[in-house]
């Protein structure tokens, strides 16, 4: 998901202009397989809310909640109708499993290749969808979600990396953002299927089972497709890597790209994942640590997933009935998809900060308005006599909120963490960002229904306050990364009024002095030297564990070649 972020040419010499071959049918086929990875993520995110609104599903697995919903009489608290920890676990267990699997998948991706991790992902997805579709009891249901979570952990680590390595360099950024687009398509497809099967007896089995279709594509694709040239070469299979490169580029003239990949692979072995982690906790990499932690954490506290996971049941609580609730979920998922295109169009023109700030303002306003609307409405009406016009206004406001998210924090949460990492912290920083995202998706999925019950309409005001905090965070601490090559991000931190102080004057002075004559990466080397901490890690960090925000492994390594690593 990179929306055309700064993609460095592969190779220290910037030989990307000499690369031959463009978009081939193999790459397009690969893109379809990769898209199925994003689709699965979105599908599994979006499918549960609609399923939970289904009476046959609720009565079978959550009879207590079903009875509460049926008994929703005049005096019943609409905010608490669905407050059930096990119901929440059905949604959120996916993320805790994803969080556990992501670091494992990262090691597998590095040691055995992208293909193996994608295959593992496809198989976990297949197992999870089958268990869910055939579920006879709650245990089967939760176990199925855990398997799907393992699938997500594998897919989010390997698919975008594989995609960016297989794509011709000039299409890398665009393909990166396609993953987020595929995610939003997955959410929409899930809502459409939920809507279509709502009148079928046990239609929820089909909803949950249909995830097996993209899972089959991912599984078969990862059996048929070759591993990426980068992965093959890094594992010493140079000849095979070269053959694959020639095949996917549709030409034998791949010398320049092949040599760059070889150089990158050689550099990639210089920094271990553990070293990147150690670097991340050193003072002068503090901006990378703080931003990698807080951007994905804040994304979840926008409250977006409260809507993505629970919109059908939110509208059920507003008394729309199952049909209306599911239709609203479709509309909202459609808005989410369309607004993602806005991000793709604007991200490299307006820049990241403007999108973050305006999206934040839009979300803040909409959340406040929803809070007030519900607060005022439920002080006068209850679920059974709430005027229809109020649910329409709520729908419009939620759409405004979702649109704001989808052109800002949605895609940027995956793009910006891929741009704010220095070469020395990159692989660890990415892993951290993915884990934080999964962790707080879990926390939010698990807590939202209880928060809704106890805070009532105030929950929307709470999210509005969080959005205000994160918008201020962006305003003060997130630098503009549009067009900043990744080897120059450190100079950006040095010039930043807050981060410059955090990093410390010695590092900043030395960096800026060298930046005047050299590239940013040289400047970073100077910073290291000024601090008199010659570091054997002072080379790039590998991107083996790069999540879907990845650009690719090679540019890292390539840019790192510009570093005076040999100083150690
Ligand atoms: C987020 C998901 C969210 C989705 C909505 C993604 O960027 O990580 O948690 O559900 O956007 O489109």
């Amino acid at each position: 998901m990179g929306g055309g972020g700064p993609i460095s040419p592969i190779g220290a010499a910037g030989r990307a202009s000499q690369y031959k071959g463009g978009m081939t049918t193999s790459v397009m086929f690969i893109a379809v397989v990769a898209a199925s990875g994003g689709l699965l993520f979105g599908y599994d995110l979006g499918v549960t809310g609609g399923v939970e609104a289904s009476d046959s599903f609720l009565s079978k697995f959550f009879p207590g909640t079903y009875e509460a919903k049926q008994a929703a009489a005049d005096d019943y608290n609409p905010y608490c109708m669905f407050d059930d920890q096990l119901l929440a676990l059905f949604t959120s267990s996916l993320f805790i499993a994803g969080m556990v699997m992501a670091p494992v998948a990262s090691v597998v991706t590095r040691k055995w290749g992208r293909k193996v991790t994608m295959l593992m992902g496809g198989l976990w997805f297949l197992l999870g969808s089958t268990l869910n579709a055939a579920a006879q009891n709650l245990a089967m249901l939760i176990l199925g979600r855990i398997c799907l979570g393992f699938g997500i952990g594998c897919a989010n680590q390997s698919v975008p990396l594989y995609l960016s390595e297989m794509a011709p360099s000039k299409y890398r950024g665009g393909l990166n953002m396609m993953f987020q687009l595929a995610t939003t398509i997955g959410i929409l497809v899930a809502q459409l299927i939920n809507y279509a099967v709502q009148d079928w007896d046990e239609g929820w089995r089909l909803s949950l089972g249909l995830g097996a279709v993209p899972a089959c594509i991912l599984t078969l694709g990862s059996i048929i497709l070759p591993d990426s040239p980068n992965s093959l070469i890094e594992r010493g299979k140079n000849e095979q890597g070269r053959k694959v490169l020639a095949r996917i580029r549709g030409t034998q003239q791949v010398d320049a790209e092949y040599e760059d990949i070889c150089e990158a692979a050689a550099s990639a072995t210089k920094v271990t994942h553990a070293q990147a982690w150690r670097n991340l906790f050193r003072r002068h990499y503090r901006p990378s640590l703080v931003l990698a932690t807080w951007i994905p954490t804040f994304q979840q506290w926008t409250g977006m997933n409260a809507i993505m996971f629970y919109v059908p049941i939110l509208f059920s609580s507003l008394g729309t009935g199952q049909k209306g609730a599911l239709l609203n979920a479709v509309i909202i998922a459609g808005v989410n998809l369309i607004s993602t295109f806005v991000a793709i169009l604007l991200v490299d023109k307006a820049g990241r900060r403007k999108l973050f700030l305006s999206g934040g303002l839009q979300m803040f306003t909409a959340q406040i308005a929803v809070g007030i609307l519900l607060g005022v409405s439920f002080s006068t009406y209850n679920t059974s006599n709430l005027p229809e016009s109020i649910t329409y206004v709520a729908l419009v406001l939620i759409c405004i909120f979702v649109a704001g998210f989808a052109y800002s924090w949605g895609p940027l949460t995956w793009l910006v963490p891929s741009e704010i990492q220095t070469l020395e912290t990159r692989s660890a920083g990415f892993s951290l960002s993915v884990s934080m995202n999964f962790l707080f998706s879990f926390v939010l999925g698990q807590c939202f229904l209880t928060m809704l019950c106890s805070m009532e309409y105030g929950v929307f005001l709470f999210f509005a306050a969080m959005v205000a905090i994160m918008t201020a965070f962006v305003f003060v601490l997130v630098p503009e990364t549009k067009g900043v090559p990744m080897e120059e991000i450190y100079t950006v931190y040095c010039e930043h009024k807050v981060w410059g102080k955090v990093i410390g004057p010695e590092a900043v002075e030395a960096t800026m002095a060298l930046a005047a004559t050299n590239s940013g990466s040289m400047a970073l080397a100077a910073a290291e030297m000024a601090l008199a901490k010659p570091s054997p890690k002072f080379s790039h960090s590998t991107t083996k564990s790069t999540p879907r925000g990845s650009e690719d492994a090679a540019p890292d390594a390539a840019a790192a070649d510009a570093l005076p690593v040999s100083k150690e």
Side-chain angles (χ1 to χ4, degrees):
M1 324 187 38
I7 310 297
S8 303
I10 296 181
R15 277 176 294 218
S17 57
Q18 299 166 28
Y19 295 175
K20 297 280 185 281
M23 192 55 103
T24 57
T25 37
S26 324
V27 174
M28 283 179 202
F29 182 63
I30 287 160
V32 170
V33 173
S36 59
L39 208 80
L40 275 163
F41 181 47
Y43 192 85
D44 292 321
L45 274 171
V47 77
T48 50
V51 161
E52 287 164 0
S54 136
D55 287 347
S56 75
F57 176 85
L58 276 185
S59 59
K60 185 168 178 73
F61 299 107
F62 303 95
T65 311
Y66 176 70
E67 275 158 32
K69 189 181 163 199
Q70 297 308 308
D74 291 359
D75 59 343
Y76 198 85
N77 183 348
Y79 297 108
C80 296
M81 232 184 255
F82 291 92
D83 180 20
D84 179 332
Q85 285 299 308
L86 283 174
L87 185 70
L89 194 64
F90 169 58
T91 298
S92 64
S93 50
L94 181 94
F95 294 99
I96 210 77
M99 200 180 100
V100 170
M101 183 53 88
V104 179
S106 148
V107 174
V108 176
T109 306
R110 182 177 185 152
K111 286 209 167 138
W112 292 287
R114 297 35 166 160
K115 216 172 121 85
V116 177
T117 321
M118 291 198 306
L119 180 61
M120 279 167 54
L123 292 173
W124 280 118
F125 278 126
L126 271 178
L127 183 62
S129 312
T130 312
L131 275 172
N132 271 352
Q136 295 305 322
N137 50 45
L138 193 56
M140 263 177 102
L141 208 58
I142 305 272
L143 197 64
R145 286 293 282 179
I146 290 175
C147 293
L148 292 173
F150 287 157
I152 283 173
C154 291
N156 280 32
Q157 285 289 339
S158 56
V159 174
L161 179 60
Y162 178 74
L163 188 57
S164 61
E165 289 174 344
M166 299 300 265
S169 65
K170 59 178 176 239
Y171 297 110
R172 244 170 232 146
L175 283 174
N176 190 303
M177 214 174 219
M178 290 304 147
F179 200 86
Q180 168 74 6
L181 193 65
T183 304
T184 58
I185 295 174
I187 296 175
L188 177 62
V189 170
Q191 308 296 18
L192 282 168
I193 291 172
N194 280 338
Y195 187 73
V197 303
Q198 60 181 306
D199 296 326
W200 301 12
D201 191 29
E202 303 215 323
W204 56 268
R205 288 195 189 277
L206 193 66
S207 293
L208 295 178
L210 274 177
V213 175
C216 281
I217 300 177
L218 186 62
T219 308
L220 292 177
S222 53
I223 294 172
I224 298 167
L225 296 174
D227 213 334
S228 71
N230 309 59
S231 171
L232 289 165
I233 294 168
E234 276 159 22
R235 289 179 290 133
K237 301 179 180 178
N238 290 40
E239 256 326 290
Q240 214 180 324
R242 198 194 157 91
K243 275 194 195 133
V244 170
L245 187 63
R247 201 162 93 218
I248 57 176
R249 297 289 174 262
T251 168
Q252 289 301 320
Q253 296 169 305
V254 290
D255 289 353
E257 190 170 358
Y258 173 72
E259 275 161 32
D260 283 346
I261 295 176
C262 289
E263 275 175 24
S267 308
T269 50
K270 285 185 191 155
V271 162
T272 64
H273 199 44
Q275 285 168 334
W277 273 106
R278 278 197 293 275
N279 286 341
L280 195 60
F281 287 95
R282 293 166 68 191
R283 175 181 173 189
H284 45 291
Y285 296 111
R286 199 53 44 83
S288 303
L289 176 67
V290 170
L291 298 177
T293 307
W294 284 100
I295 293 177
T297 303
F298 277 142
Q299 187 207 42
Q300 290 307 312
W301 290 108
T302 55
M304 173 64 170
N305 275 338
I307 294 184
M308 285 297 113
F309 299 158
Y310 298 121
V311 78
I313 64 180
L314 271 176
F315 278 99
S316 288
S317 303
L318 291 180
T320 57
Q322 187 178 324
K323 202 178 177 77
L326 291 176
L327 183 62
N328 290 350
V330 171
I331 295 171
I332 288 167
V335 170
N336 187 30
L337 170 62
I338 292 166
S339 189
T340 304
F341 282 105
V342 176
I344 295 175
L345 289 176
L346 290 185
V347 73
D348 282 327
K349 293 196 182 88
R352 286 68 170 142
R353 277 174 60 86
K354 274 199 190 125
L355 292 187
F356 264 136
L357 297 175
S358 58
L361 191 66
Q362 184 167 329
M363 287 191 289
F364 174 80
T365 316
Q367 293 277 31
I368 295 272
V370 174
I372 295 175
L373 178 79
L374 296 188
V376 171
S377 306
F378 282 123
S379 64
T380 319
Y381 306 101
N382 56 46
T383 307
S384 54
N385 66 2
L386 192 76
E388 236 183 354
S389 56
I390 291 180
T391 42
Y392 287 135
V393 178
L395 175 63
V396 170
L397 290 175
I398 289 178
C399 285
I400 293 174
F401 166 80
V402 168
F405 174 91
Y407 75 73
S408 62
W409 283 83
L412 293 178
T413 295
W414 300 100
L415 172 62
V416 174
S418 80
E419 299 178 330
I420 45 97
Q421 286 305 324
T422 64
L423 300 163
E424 291 70 29
T425 52
R426 195 164 157 79
S427 72
F430 274 132
S431 281
L432 181 67
S433 290
V434 176
S435 298
M436 295 312 282
N437 195 276
F438 284 166
L439 174 66
F440 283 100
S441 302
F442 167 76
V443 170
L444 190 103
Q446 198 60 40
C447 297
F448 176 70
L449 294 176
T450 307
M451 284 166 75
L452 181 68
C453 179
S454 57
M455 296 165 83
E456 306 195 334
Y457 63 89
V459 77
F460 295 97
L461 304 179
F462 166 80
F463 285 132
M466 293 304 288
V467 172
I469 293 171
M470 69 188 77
T471 307
F473 173 88
V474 169
F475 187 73
V476 179
L477 292 177
V478 179
E480 179 56 66
T481 47
K482 177 182 115 182
V484 178
M486 68 183 88
E487 65 272 29
E488 277 169 28
I489 187 68
Y490 199 75
T491 319
V492 172
Y493 291 140
C494 288
E495 285 168 345
H496 193 274
K497 42 182 190 313
V498 178
W499 291 129
K501 291 199 185 85
V502 173
I503 289 168
E506 308 92 326
V508 172
E509 271 162 37
T511 303
M512 299 320 291
L514 220 77
T517 48
N518 289 313
S519 71
S521 51
M522 296 292 278
L524 180 50
E528 285 279 342
M529 288 184 280
L531 289 167
K533 280 184 193 160
S535 159
K537 299 104 208 172
F538 196 68
S539 66
H540 73 291
S541 58
T542 65
T543 51
K544 300 308 170 295
S545 65
T546 305
R548 58 192 194 139
S550 73
E551 302 302 339
D552 63 353
D556 255 6
D561 285 347
L563 296 171
V565 183
S566 54
K567 295 274 184 306
E568 60 194 74

